């Protein structure tokens, strides 16, 4: 049995979303991506934050799973598989 979770003003608390924002790194990444015109690739986020690319991808995926970012293929017109762009 699960108890309904509500905040102080009666709104429903979205636990996965709150957990996704449970680290300063993910909050920083979310702000960076949301402020970027047209979104950012994982490589751009890693460069801006100084994190390893694998760590950055893990954080970005967690934010996508929580519904805080959207992930789509970037179309740059270059040869090869396009990078993921986060918005």
């Amino acid at each position: 049995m699960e108890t309904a979770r509500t905040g102080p003003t009666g709104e429903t608390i979205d636990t996965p979303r709150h957990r996704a924002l449970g680290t300063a790194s993910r909050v920083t990444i979310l702000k960076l991506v949301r402020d970027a015109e047209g979104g950012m690739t994982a490589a751009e986020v890693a460069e801006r934050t100084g994190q390893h690319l694998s760590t950055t991808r893990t954080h970005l995926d967690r934010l996508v799973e929580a519904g805080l970012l959207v992930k789509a293929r970037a179309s740059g017109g270059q040869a090869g598989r396009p990078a993921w762009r986060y918005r």
Side-chain angles (χ1 to χ4, degrees), residues 8-47:
T9 59
E11 78 278 8
T12 302
I13 296 173
D14 184 347
T15 304
R17 191 170 281 197
H18 282 82
R19 286 188 182 143
L21 296 173
T23 68
S25 293
R26 283 195 291 268
V27 171
T28 299
I29 289 170
L30 182 62
K31 288 179 182 179
L32 272 174
V33 174
R34 286 190 168 177
D35 289 345
E37 181 83 22
M40 298 178 78
T41 66
E44 292 168 339
V45 174
E47 184 179 325

Side-chain angles (χ1 to χ4, degrees), residues 73-83 85:
R73 284 285 182 193
S75 58
Q78 300 173 350
R81 183 176 58 176
R85 183 160 292 278

Side-chain angles (χ1 to χ4, degrees), residues 47-66:
E47 184 179 325
R48 293 279 306 273
T49 62
Q51 294 178 336
H52 190 276
L53 183 56
S54 295
T55 302
T56 300
R57 284 188 183 123
T58 301
H59 286 315
L60 287 164
D61 287 342
R62 185 77 184 264
L63 292 167
V64 169
E65 289 168 9

